[in-house]
Amino acid sequence: MKRKTHPALIAFTVLTFFFLLGPLVVILGSALSDTPFLTFPPQGLTLHWFQNIFEISAFTRTMGTSFMLAVGGTALSMLIGIPAAYALARYRVELPSFLGNVFVLPILIPEIVLGFSLMKSLASGLGTPIMATLLVGHALLVLPYCVRVVGASLNSFDFSIEEAAVSLGCPRWRAFFTVVLPNIRAGIIAGFILAFITSLNDVSISIFLTGPGVSTLPIQLLAHMEQFFDPTIAAVSVLLMGVTVAVMAVVERTLGLTFLTK
Amino acid sequence: MTVSLSLENITAHYGTVKVLEDLSLHIAEGELVSLLGSSGCGKTTTLRLVAGFLEPTAGTIKLGDRDLTRLPAHARNIGLVFQTYALFPHLTVRENVGFGLKQRGVAAAERATRVNAMIERVGLGELADRHPANLSGGQRQRVALARALVIDPPLLMFDEPLSNLDAKLRVDMRVEIRRLQQANGTTALYVTHDQEEAFSISDRVAIMNAGRIMQLDRPEVLYSNPANAFVANFVGFENMIEMRAVAEAGDAVRAEIKGGGTIDLPKSQFTVPAQEFLFATRADGLQVAATGQGIACTLGLRTYIGRAYQYHCDTPAGQLVANGPLAHPFESGANAVLVPQPEQCCLLPKEA
Ligand SMILES: Nc1ncnc2c1ncn2[C@@H]1O[C@H](COP(=O)(O)OP(=O)(O)OP(=O)(O)O)[C@@H](O)[C@H]1O
Ligand SMILES: [Mg+2]
């Protein structure tokens, strides 16, 4: 027997998908258009604009910067985030409860404010090099994802497992690596991916912190748009989208996507 | 390797809250002692102190002649079995059991031999390459047991190891724990709040209340000769009658029952501990009779408990529970006498 679905539900679902996927289709179409301006539906088909990305050195350079920032910023953030999440979960009773919220602040504070204050304090105030400032900015930006996602796995971690390891002769610090880390692996990978994608696509913080000679791909995209309005912009967007999808696909193949929503 | 465990005048705090107070406990070589008590009385805390997860505010802990008090937990060499099993989810049964030996740097070949032998010994031969998630509760507990035993610790500690298992398995497992402990001659500290479990497998049991040991003795002694009202109540003495010795009556002590009436307690059968005392007994210790020397009462509800009838009786001293013979059932509302059975009664000093 077939279950009957209400026509309104079908319509609702179709509309949701339309609004979610529609813009992406438009971007992909525009990127393939054989015209010197953005248009949809595409007129003619060409991969010229994708090729063009790699011919504009500003794009290739900033692409490298963006990847380095995403990897470096996330790694730096994990270095702080994992111990913080561990302490928050392990000493939940002893620690004051507001401490957990401190690590979510970067999400609550408008990114523009965060970017501006970092510029004022680090870049202008201390004269920190641009790349270092960017790295700190991105690490801060993604810290909440690291702490929250890793924290979620730690909250379901039974700490008596760690004590069991210690009682069997394993010092505390080593137990952290041999027993705790392997069991929160999924949370670390999930946190890393969320953070990586957030960093890669960030505009609001980077726009304050980039400077002469150093920029990120999304910022370069904006700069490019101000001068040219050709399909290269769409091609870069498709590329960024592609990376996100590829990362998700790898996760899906290795771990299953469901663990991201767990 | 058998050694003794001594806790000497241990006091412990969580923050500013005192959880254990001046607790002393000596477990002889190869002995299994249980800590028994209601929730929150400090059993787990005691265990965690010995394991090294918590530091006492005062007192010393000694294993044999080794002072453990300030030794880090990983250097104590104690086998621990947890209520939640605490197996390593990312390791197989074999790797779980081998963990302790690996930490000790035991060579792979010797490790394999010892791990396999231990896995066989707890009956997990076929499951050695599974992960804990694919085991039943009872099997997990066996892995936890094997993991603690394989390092050959001088001391084994259990924190309510059976409370997550069903009733039948609990009985089987406690027998197995006792068998393994005795076979190795390992000194053991066992925490539970199940009286039957503690009494059935322990050499001695410490009954705890609010961070203190109320009595530490063999189960047989605790069961029939509790030292104080708390323990008497804990081991199921339903009747606590307040009395006061008032006079000598020949070779008996005449005692006044609080609430009304007197009773003569023959000196040959009862030792009155103080002028004010508690007369404690189970239902078995008071026999319902039509006449005799005892406490006058009016019979209330009668229930059938298999070996006897049990009566809820109204007496001047309050509601008491007593047993009567199956051959002569009494009717509810009848007047009768509750005759104390000396060997099943305890006279306890009244606490301040
Ligand atoms: N981490 C902690 N912080 C503060 N107080 C604690 C902590 N752990 C336990 N306590 C308190 O210490 C007292 C003793 O706790 P403990 O865990 O030793 O009890 P227990 O006898 O093992 O009880 P149960 O039978 O419920 O396991 C309790 O009053 C408890 O509330
Ligand atoms: Mg406990």
Side-chain angles (χ1 to χ4, degrees), chain A residues 6 19 35 39 48 50 54-55 70 74-75 80 95 106 111 181 186 191 219:
Chain A
H6 199 280
F19 281 112
T35 50
T39 180
H48 168 75
F50 284 93
F54 297 95
E55 275 159 13
T74 305
I80 304 162
L95 290 174
E111 284 177 28
L181 276 189
I219 303 296

Side-chain angles (χ1 to χ4, degrees), chain B residues 54-66:
Chain B
L54 204 68
E55 263 198 37
T57 12
T60 13
I61 302 168
K62 279 188 177 164
L63 192 57
D65 45 18
R66 207 157 55 110

Side-chain angles (χ1 to χ4, degrees), chain A residues 90 157-158 160-172 174-175 178-180 182-183, chain B residues 48 53 73-75 77-78 80 82 84 86-90 96 99-100 103-104 147-148 151:
Chain A
R90 181 84 167 78
F157 180 77
D158 176 7
S160 55
I161 290 169
E162 194 191 20
E163 290 183 343
V166 172
S167 79
L168 289 166
C170 187
R172 274 287 293 273
R174 204 200 298 162
T178 53
V179 178
V180 182
N183 285 303
Chain B
R48 292 174 62 79
F53 301 137
H74 72 264
N77 198 23
I78 293 171
L80 263 176
F82 296 78
T84 54
L87 299 179
F88 308 125
H90 62 299
N96 263 280
F99 189 91
Q103 297 304 320
R104 283 162 176 69
R147 186 178 65 176
I151 59 172

Side-chain angles (χ1 to χ4, degrees), chain B residues 21-287:
Chain B
E21 190 171 358
D22 200 26
L23 183 136
S24 293
L25 172 68
H26 181 84
I27 306 182
E29 298 162 9
E31 194 183 24
L32 190 155
V33 169
S34 288
L35 302 179
L36 177 64
S38 52
S39 192
C41 69
K43 307 182 293 291
T44 299
T45 305
T46 310
L47 211 107
R48 292 174 62 79
L49 283 164
V50 179
F53 301 137
L54 204 68
E55 263 198 37
T57 12
T60 13
I61 302 168
K62 279 188 177 164
L63 192 57
D65 45 18
R66 207 157 55 110
D67 188 343
L68 293 188
T69 320
R70 306 275 169 245
L71 206 64
H74 72 264
R76 294 196 180 192
N77 198 23
I78 293 171
L80 263 176
V81 179
F82 296 78
Q83 180 174 359
T84 54
Y85 318 132
L87 299 179
F88 308 125
H90 62 299
L91 301 179
T92 61
V93 168
R94 197 188 299 282
E95 291 164 336
N96 263 280
V97 176
F99 189 91
L101 295 178
K102 204 169 172 181
Q103 297 304 320
R104 283 162 176 69
V106 174
E110 189 198 335
R111 202 162 73 216
T113 322
R114 283 171 69 177
V115 167
N116 287 338
M118 186 51 73
I119 289 178
E120 287 302 328
R121 209 165 144 200
V122 296
L124 289 172
E126 273 97 78
L127 308 174
D129 294 310
R130 286 210 200 164
H131 280 86
N134 306 323
L135 297 178
S136 73
Q139 292 164 342
R140 283 179 206 182
Q141 195 50 275
R142 279 166 208 277
V143 180
L145 201 58
R147 186 178 65 176
L149 281 170
V150 77
I151 59 172
D152 234 336
L155 176 69
L156 270 173
M157 298 203 293
F158 302 84
D159 191 357
E160 305 198 20
L162 309 180
S163 56
N164 287 339
L165 302 178
D166 63 48
K168 166 89 175 69
L169 205 53
R170 271 210 291 273
V171 175
D172 295 348
M173 281 301 292
R174 77 186 189 209
V175 171
E176 191 155 335
I177 287 178
R178 178 60 158 162
R179 188 175 293 137
L180 287 166
Q181 180 263 337
Q182 280 193 329
N184 286 20
T186 315
T187 309
L189 180 57
Y190 191 102
V191 163
T192 176
H193 56 232
D194 181 334
Q195 185 186 323
E196 188 194 313
E197 191 177 308
F199 280 21
S200 63
I201 62 167
S202 308
D203 294 304
R204 286 186 302 153
V205 175
I207 294 184
M208 289 183 70
N209 179 40
R212 294 160 181 272
I213 293 178
M214 303 305 288
Q215 190 176 358
L216 169 61
D217 225 319
R218 293 186 303 119
E220 295 87 337
V221 175
L222 291 172
Y223 189 81
S224 48
N225 276 313
N228 50 58
F230 180 87
V231 176
N233 197 14
F234 197 92
V235 297
F237 281 59
E238 294 116 321
N239 303 309
M240 299 273 185
I241 310 163
E242 283 185 46
M243 293 188 183
R244 206 163 80 91
V246 285
E248 301 270 323
D251 55 0
V253 174
R254 176 156 301 165
E256 200 176 79
I257 301 168
K258 190 184 176 192
T262 59
I263 187 169
D264 285 348
L265 303 170
K267 282 180 184 164
S268 56
Q269 293 168 326
F270 296 98
T271 313
V272 176
Q275 198 187 14
E276 305 259 343
F277 62 96
L278 279 174
F279 186 96
T281 172
R282 294 191 176 84
D284 275 333
L286 291 176
Q287 278 296 320

Side-chain angles (χ1 to χ4, degrees), chain A residues 232-243:
Chain A
T232 315
I233 297 162
V236 173
S237 308
V238 170
L239 200 70
L240 278 173
M241 224 160 69
V243 171

